[in-house]
């Protein structure tokens, strides 16, 4: 769903309903972007709040001729990268998904575990491309715009990452069969 000028104007006017609409529409996307960078659920939640507050406080800087989604993604990326620069030696990768980030829905736990598996197999840029393309259904051209890249470079990185995932899963399946015998 494209964000209408009415919603943007609502945020400019500090309308809570407009803010909530944007928050709920983009929460998962922003969560995936930030977690892909910082790899900590607790930190991700803090940075999501910071991202949306930056969006809210800087809405007058948004160029309405450009995509709101890309603008918000850029805020999220910059917020996460700024955090890493500041906390370079302090941040810890969270390995225990369920204990550290209690989720109510078992499907979300499985989804997070699958995303973690993909994260472990591919580099951060490839992970982001996969999430944006598969989970958020962005076209490769849109992803290229977000990453300041070419469409062919994004497609190539996506294809290599998917092949790497496929090979790794085949390898793990083979090892599992060997362990069972």
């Amino acid at each position: 769903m494209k964000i209408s000028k009415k919603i943007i104007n609502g945020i400019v006017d500090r309308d809570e309903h407009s803010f909530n609409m944007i928050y709920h529409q983009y929460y998962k996307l922003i969560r995936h972007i930030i977690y892909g960078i910082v790899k900590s659920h607790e930190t991700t939640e803090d940075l999501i709040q910071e991202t949306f507050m930056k969006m809210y406080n800087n809405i007058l800087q948004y160029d309405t001729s450009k995509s709101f989604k890309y603008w918000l993604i850029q805020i999220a990326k910059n917020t996460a990268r700024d955090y890493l620069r500041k906390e370079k030696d302090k941040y810890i990768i969270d390995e225990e998904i369920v204990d550290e980030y209690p989720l109510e829905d078992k499907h979300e736990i499985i989804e997070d575990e699958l995303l973690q598996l993909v994260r472990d197999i591919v580099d951060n840029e490839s992970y982001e491309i996969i999430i944006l393309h598969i989970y958020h259904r962005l076209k490769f051209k849109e992803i290229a715009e977000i990453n300041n890249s070419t469409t062919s470079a994004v497609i190539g990185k996506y294809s290599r990452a998917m092949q790497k995932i496929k090979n790794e899963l085949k390898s793990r399946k083979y090892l599992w069969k060997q362990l069972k015998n």
Side-chain angles (χ1 to χ4, degrees):
M1 176 177 125
K2 189 173 179 178
I3 296 298
S4 70
K5 289 185 184 205
K6 181 180 176 184
I7 295 173
I8 298 299
N9 289 335
I11 291 181
V12 169
D13 295 337
R14 302 304 193 218
D15 175 54
E16 187 177 335
H17 178 71
S18 296
F19 177 83
N20 287 337
M21 286 180 67
I22 288 176
Y23 184 86
H24 291 294
Q25 180 171 344
Y26 291 110
Y27 173 83
K28 280 189 172 186
L29 172 64
I30 298 306
R31 179 175 166 245
H32 286 297
I33 297 291
I34 293 174
Y35 187 80
I37 296 170
V38 301
K39 297 178 177 41
S40 164
H41 285 291
E42 186 176 310
T43 301
T44 295
E45 290 302 318
D46 291 342
L47 295 177
I48 289 169
Q49 300 309 314
E50 188 175 332
T51 296
F52 281 102
M53 288 312 299
K54 284 181 179 179
M55 177 273 303
Y56 186 76
N57 292 329
N58 296 299
I59 193 68
L60 292 175
Q61 294 176 10
Y62 167 62
D63 178 359
T64 56
S65 68
K66 309 269 184 186
S67 167
F68 179 82
K69 182 191 300 184
Y70 302 146
W71 182 68
L72 186 59
I73 287 171
Q74 208 53 52
I75 293 172
K77 284 179 163 183
N78 291 340
T79 300
R81 289 177 182 145
D82 288 348
Y83 170 80
L84 287 181
R85 275 192 287 279
K86 290 176 191 171
E87 301 292 322
K88 194 186 291 184
D89 299 325
K90 297 179 186 174
Y91 99 95
I92 300 168
I93 296 174
D94 180 6
E95 297 295 332
E96 198 58 47
I97 293 171
V98 177
D99 290 346
E100 188 65 31
Y101 186 71
L103 300 169
E104 297 169 11
D105 187 352
K106 290 181 182 180
H107 296 290
E108 285 187 40
I109 294 171
I110 293 168
E111 179 181 305
D112 278 357
E113 289 173 351
L114 288 172
L115 291 172
Q116 182 63 46
L117 177 65
V118 170
R119 218 176 273 114
D120 291 343
I121 296 171
V122 300
D123 62 83
N124 284 342
E125 186 180 2
S126 297
Y127 173 78
E128 182 179 313
I129 291 168
I130 290 168
I131 291 302
L132 291 174
H133 183 65
I134 294 174
Y135 194 81
H136 297 287
R137 302 189 189 293
L138 294 182
K139 293 177 172 43
F140 290 121
K141 182 179 179 183
E142 294 172 311
I143 297 168
E145 288 175 21
I146 291 169
N147 290 338
N148 295 323
S149 184
T150 64
T151 303
S152 59
V154 169
I155 290 170
K157 193 139 189 85
Y158 174 82
S159 297
R160 287 187 298 278
M162 294 304 285
Q163 187 61 48
K164 189 174 183 180
I165 292 167
K166 184 178 176 181
N167 292 342
E168 178 66 24
L169 293 177
K170 280 183 181 178
S171 170
R172 290 181 185 201
K173 184 177 179 182
Y174 174 77
L175 289 174
W176 178 250
K177 284 181 179 178
Q178 294 299 318
L179 289 172
K180 284 176 63 177
N181 290 334

